Amino acid sequence: MSEKKVSLLEGFKAFLTRGNVIDLAVAVVIGAAFTNIVNAVVKGVINPLVGAFGTQDLESYSSCLRGPCTTDPDTGETDGIEILWGSVLSAALSFLITAAVVYFLMVLPMAKYLARRAAAQAAKEGVKETIEVSELEVLKEIRDALVAQRSGDVAGPSGGPRSGGAPGGSGGAAPGPHEDR
């Protein structure tokens, strides 16, 4: 049973030390701080702009579903069913602003950076592959030339007759151990 506890603790430790868990924690903290900024923009800029066409507080827009929707000033209770669509609109605007800022300031630049990096890596690998292929071709030519010399072919690597061959020998190569001189 102690083996399971050790493996559970090791698994939990591995889970916590993985990079994406830490990235997620940082994202949550930054997102919480960013939410305050967006809410301030909505309340300080968007609500007054909307207020130019109606009330100054976007969240005060509402409709009554049933009844006259009168509010008792002493208790604060409302008669009828009130739908607060202004607060929903305010939350939707906050979401759109947050999504736009995250996309244009974080996602789009990072995507462009990663695309440039991938293109540079692909170009680097393409050059490396070209060098490897040309080296391979040169090595094949050397191998073919050595095989041709050993087998005593009359034609050189270019297909023409070899020059400088010794008369009566095997193409100018030194005789082997079993050949007569």
Side-chain angles (χ1 to χ4, degrees):
M1 185 150 228
S2 64
E3 291 178 9
K4 285 187 177 181
K5 287 183 181 179
V6 172
S7 66
L8 281 175
L9 290 176
E10 289 175 1
F12 185 66
K13 181 180 175 185
F15 171 74
L16 288 179
T17 56
R18 253 191 272 164
N20 47 356
V21 172
I22 294 170
D23 292 342
L24 182 62
V26 169
V28 168
V29 170
I30 289 177
F34 188 69
T35 300
N36 292 333
I37 294 171
V38 171
N39 287 338
V41 168
V42 168
K43 288 181 182 177
V45 176
I46 303 296
N47 283 349
L49 288 175
V50 172
F53 301 106
T55 64
Q56 290 204 357
D57 186 13
L58 186 62
E59 294 184 9
S60 67
Y61 285 107
S62 64
S63 297
C64 195
L65 187 62
R66 185 186 321 164
C69 286
T70 56
T71 305
D72 185 14
D74 295 333
T75 61
E77 292 180 15
T78 304
D79 295 337
I81 299 173
E82 187 177 23
I83 297 181
L84 303 171
W85 58 270
S87 61
V88 173
L89 183 61
S90 177
L93 287 173
S94 295
F95 172 76
L96 287 176
I97 291 169
T98 303
V101 168
V102 166
Y103 179 76
F104 289 113
L105 295 181
M106 295 177 192
V107 173
L108 191 61
M110 184 58 81
K112 287 183 180 180
Y113 168 73
L114 291 176
R116 281 192 307 242
R117 189 171 167 192
Q121 183 70 20
K124 182 179 175 184
E125 294 208 5
V127 168
K128 183 179 177 183
E129 185 176 311
T130 303
I131 290 171
E132 288 176 358
V133 167
S134 62
E135 287 177 357
L136 184 62
E137 291 298 321
V138 169
L139 290 172
K140 284 181 181 179
E141 288 177 10
I142 292 171
R143 179 200 63 200
D144 293 344
L146 289 173
V147 167
Q149 280 182 353
R150 273 199 184 151
S151 66
D153 286 344
V154 182
S158 63
R162 270 197 281 199
S163 60
S170 59
H178 298 296
E179 295 179 356
D180 292 332
R181 288 191 186 234

